[in-house]
Amino acid sequence: MIKPNHITLFRLFLIFIAFVSWYLVPPQYYLYIGVLFYIAFLLDAVDGWLARTKDLKTDFGKYFDPIVDYIGFLALYVISIEMGILPIWFVFLALTRDFLATFARQILNLNNIVIEANVIAKLKAVYIGYPLVGLYWYKLYGFSSQWLFIVIGLHILLEGRIFGYSDPLENRWNSIILCFTTIAVITLTTLRPASESLSDLTVLFILITQSLIWVSGIQYLWYAREYIIQSFDSN
Ligand SMILES: O=P(O)(O)OC[C@H](O)CO
């Protein structure tokens, strides 16, 4: 029987294959490296869905799943920096938040509390993974930014309906972010020709993801605040 942790482990394997391949294979195969990352992110929805619907949630999974996400994002951040898609400060901020979220988890764990990813953190994972693969393809192949956005936006909407976002709060936030992004992308792509809008799309990506990154990160720290203060002052 396939368990969520097996899928998470397989995602880690895919991420390593994709990352190492980027340095080893000729550029004509770069499209498929994006596909591997896309599948690894898609399987993130599948393992969570399996854990929730088949009652297979484990404490191990609650720690393992975010760490594999962090490794997947880091792999794509490194590639994006090498390709001039993302500025390096984006990665500093994203990793700082991830270290702080891990710190909050550790402090809570010292107090025998294991927490799941919060709603905004789950959405953050979705809004980093797929759009970043989209920006990667856009940079490589100059796909129409409008089409990429429509495909990825529909994917996020459908994924939410099929695999998760069953939580009404999660659904609501997903709809709000998608509406905002739709308006922003339509405005950007009608005000400027698509070929010049890459940096605008990157700015949009950074704005949306950094907001989700920090709102969700601060939620973890806020949740753990009493334990952090107690531990800080204790001998
Ligand atoms: O932000 P975190 O550390 O809770 O991670 C969230 C996960 O990546 C969601 O799958």
Side-chain angles (χ1 to χ4, degrees):
M1 178 194 178
I2 295 180
K3 293 188 175 165
N5 291 335
H6 298 150
I7 298 177
T8 313
L9 186 62
F10 180 64
R11 291 174 50 220
L12 185 60
F13 172 74
L14 280 184
I15 290 162
F16 269 96
I17 296 287
F19 183 69
V20 173
S21 304
W22 196 79
Y23 288 95
L24 297 181
V25 302
Q28 66 260 36
Y29 295 111
Y30 282 1
L31 176 73
Y32 304 109
I33 290 173
V35 173
L36 285 182
F37 275 111
Y38 211 99
I39 294 172
F41 298 141
L42 178 63
L43 288 176
D44 186 26
V46 178
D47 62 12
W49 171 80
L50 200 61
R52 279 191 303 277
T53 55
K54 308 283 176 202
D55 204 16
L56 293 171
K57 283 187 190 178
T58 61
D59 287 348
F60 178 88
K62 288 175 193 167
Y63 290 109
F64 189 41
D65 181 74
I67 294 295
V68 171
D69 283 351
Y70 296 170
I71 296 171
F73 296 145
L74 182 58
L76 206 46
Y77 293 157
V78 171
I79 292 174
S80 302
I81 288 169
E82 295 240 27
M83 292 172 64
I85 297 171
L86 277 183
I88 200 152
W89 57 260
F90 175 94
V91 180
F92 171 78
L93 290 178
L95 290 191
T96 300
R97 176 270 184 211
D98 291 347
F99 292 142
L100 289 174
T102 305
F103 170 68
R105 281 196 170 93
Q106 285 172 326
I107 295 290
L108 289 166
N109 185 253
L110 285 176
N111 293 277
N112 299 317
I113 301 170
V114 180
I115 45 163
E116 287 183 44
N118 63 44
V119 170
I120 304 290
K122 282 193 229 163
L123 290 175
K124 169 225 46 167
V126 171
Y127 282 90
I128 292 178
Y130 303 126
L132 198 50
V133 177
L135 287 174
Y136 165 88
W137 281 328
Y138 183 83
K139 176 84 177 183
L140 282 173
Y141 305 103
F143 289 147
S144 149
S145 55
Q146 292 97 322
W147 280 108
L148 261 182
F149 165 74
I150 290 168
V151 170
I152 291 172
L154 280 177
H155 173 120
I156 291 176
L157 198 66
L158 274 178
E159 179 179 297
R161 298 285 155 188
I162 297 170
F163 290 119
Y165 311 166
S166 49
D167 181 335
L169 189 62
E170 218 165 311
N171 267 332
R172 190 183 323 146
W173 276 111
N174 197 38
S175 309
I176 291 171
I177 298 166
L178 277 175
C179 280
F180 168 79
T181 318
T182 308
I183 294 166
V185 169
I186 290 172
T187 312
L188 283 174
T189 49
T190 47
L191 289 183
R192 288 163 182 267
S195 59
E196 286 179 21
S197 58
L198 176 61
S199 59
D200 295 337
L201 288 181
T202 304
V203 169
L204 186 63
F205 170 82
I206 290 173
L207 275 176
I208 293 173
T209 52
Q210 285 292 336
S211 310
L212 296 172
I213 280 170
W214 283 99
V215 170
S216 61
I218 289 167
Q219 276 183 330
Y220 288 127
L221 290 171
W222 186 252
Y223 186 73
R225 68 190 183 286
E226 276 175 30
Y227 303 101
I228 293 173
I229 293 166
Q230 269 171 23
S231 309
F232 189 77
D233 281 333
S234 66
N235 293 319

